Amino acid sequence: MQTLPAPTQSAYSNLGTDTTIHRRKTRPVAVGSIIIGGNNPVVVQSMINEDTLDIDGAVAGIRRLHEIGCEIVRVTVPSMAHARALAQIKQKLIDTYQIVPLVADVHHNGMKIALEVAKHVDKVRINPGLYVFEKPKPDRTEYTPAEFAEIGDNIRDMLEPLVISLRDQNKAMRIGVNHGSLAERMLFTYGDTPQGMVESALECVRICQSFDFHNLIISMKASRVPVMVAAYRLLAQRMDAAGMDYPIHLGVTEAGDGEYGRIKSTAGIATLLAEGIGDTLRVSLTEAPEKEIPVCYSILQSLGLRKTMVEYVACPSCGRTLFNLEEVLHQVRSATNHLIGLDIAVMGCIVNGPGEMADADYGYVGKTPGYISLYRGRDEIKRVPEADGVAELIALIKADDRWMEPE
């Protein structure tokens, strides 16, 4: 997936009429060949839904995602057999395709699995609420400070081998807290709240820091957008106050499918990105994983954080429109959507024409019945018959040496 460089950004800010998104300053963390954080573009990732024991199926799923722009691919590893299968998956990718940055998802009591899988992938994702599973006691009413600390020490002992392994291999860890799987002691101590989510993550962060391991990425996923947004805001605030500059992974978990799933994901992810929070993202849809990638790039492009496709500006149409705007926009998009980084405006009349498309590279404007005016920026270049409009637009882009043939 081609992309233009990320815009220059400075310290985290969200003041007044500043139209630039100032991303929170974070350290760069390598996940294979991809760098998350620092001054690097926000990274797009997803997860295959093939069983990791299905070597051929998993390789095909990883390749499909990577070929359409997914920069990091996650796989689930529920058993030692799955963990060992990743060695074969990685080798087959190298033999038949190329190296792809891989992340392994480790859950219940996963220390042995995590240690095996750390040999084969670039990042291990753990869920603090499940990595060391606390069996609930039906009659419990509280956790004493001593009990809370004792479990914390147990978590440290369980995490130590993985932390040291990843540290010594210069690999990464995602501390991925989920609202729906907070440990019982966090629920008793902080309630079912964003604060509990943040405390769960920071406990793991401090353990990693105590072993001088800093290749960390943190996430605070929830299925309810207000909870997710509040948790990430609190996480950024707490980390900044503590001098922690770890990158943040954004996502609304279990967002669903279709239009609502896309809107729900965008509502949470875009809100935080606009505030400068977030260095990598996944849109979680109950659909084929390949459907997630266009949504990720659309979110990033709409905020000006990455430019991987043409930005189309089009008026909503009204009684002044001099051609079938919806049809023409479709024609223009079909002819040009493989290009990188251009802004193209399709405007139905002179009223919504040059003024409102002033930032576009090229404009396609209805000015008189049956004719199209083509613009380069603010300058009208030529008028052509409506039937020739799209072809003439392509010719203009070619004349400026900004055309590339579709792959």
Side-chain angles (χ1 to χ4, degrees), residues 14 32 67 90 201 206 251 253 263 279 346 352 367 385 388 402:
N14 190 26
E67 286 178 333
K90 183 176 180 179
R206 294 187 187 101
T253 192
I263 292 172
D279 305 279
V346 179
N352 281 340
K367 292 184 75 172
D388 301 331
R402 303 185 72 176

Side-chain angles (χ1 to χ4, degrees), residues 16-235:
T17 58
D18 188 355
T19 61
T20 300
I21 293 175
H22 301 285
R23 288 172 60 193
R24 173 178 168 268
K25 285 186 177 296
T26 58
R27 67 173 58 225
V29 174
V31 180
S33 60
I34 297 294
I35 309 296
I36 297 174
N39 293 319
N40 296 284
V42 178
V43 172
V44 170
Q45 52 184 295
S46 183
M47 184 175 185
I48 64 168
N49 54 18
E50 286 83 4
D51 189 329
T52 315
L53 291 177
D54 176 5
I55 307 298
D56 291 341
V59 168
I62 292 166
R63 180 169 178 171
R64 282 196 305 272
L65 280 169
H66 193 258
E67 286 178 333
I68 62 171
C70 181
E71 294 159 301
I72 297 174
V73 181
R74 183 157 49 112
V75 299
T76 188
V77 190
S79 73
M80 284 296 289
H82 289 83
R84 295 188 184 103
L86 271 168
Q88 299 176 62
I89 290 169
K90 183 176 180 179
Q91 189 59 51
K92 187 155 189 175
L93 282 167
I94 293 170
D95 293 343
T96 63
Y97 179 53
Q98 66 182 71
I99 295 173
V100 176
L102 296 177
V103 180
D105 221 12
V106 179
H107 284 285
H108 292 83
N109 294 324
M111 183 176 73
K112 291 182 179 179
I113 296 171
L115 285 174
E116 174 64 27
V117 86
K119 303 173 187 176
H120 313 303
V121 299
D122 304 293
K123 181 171 72 172
V124 175
R125 183 263 172 146
I126 65 162
N127 180 339
L130 298 175
Y131 188 75
V132 180
F133 185 66
E134 304 170 30
K135 187 175 181 179
K137 293 182 179 179
D139 58 346
R140 184 184 292 281
T141 59
E142 66 173 355
Y143 275 86
T144 66
E147 288 175 316
F148 194 97
E150 181 183 358
I151 293 174
D153 291 341
N154 186 32
I155 291 174
R156 177 185 170 85
D157 292 342
M158 292 286 281
L159 269 179
E160 179 179 358
L162 175 61
V163 169
I164 290 173
S165 174
L166 294 173
R167 181 197 68 191
D168 292 350
Q169 295 181 81
N170 198 29
K171 293 183 177 181
M173 176 191 289
R174 171 155 72 95
I175 299 170
V177 177
N178 271 17
H179 180 236
S181 55
L182 279 177
E184 185 185 56
R185 71 191 175 114
M186 291 296 173
L187 290 171
F188 269 92
T189 306
Y190 300 104
D192 188 12
T193 65
Q195 184 183 2
M197 298 171 67
V198 171
E199 295 296 341
S200 180
L202 292 181
E203 179 178 61
C204 289
V205 170
R206 294 187 187 101
I207 290 170
C208 292
Q209 288 179 324
S210 72
F211 294 107
D212 195 27
F213 177 58
H214 302 280
N215 294 340
L216 303 175
I217 295 127
I218 321 296
S219 65
M220 298 273 113
K221 293 191 177 183
S223 59
R224 290 177 53 220
V225 171
V227 174
M228 172 261 196
V229 169
Y232 276 112
R233 284 173 174 163
L234 181 60
L235 174 69

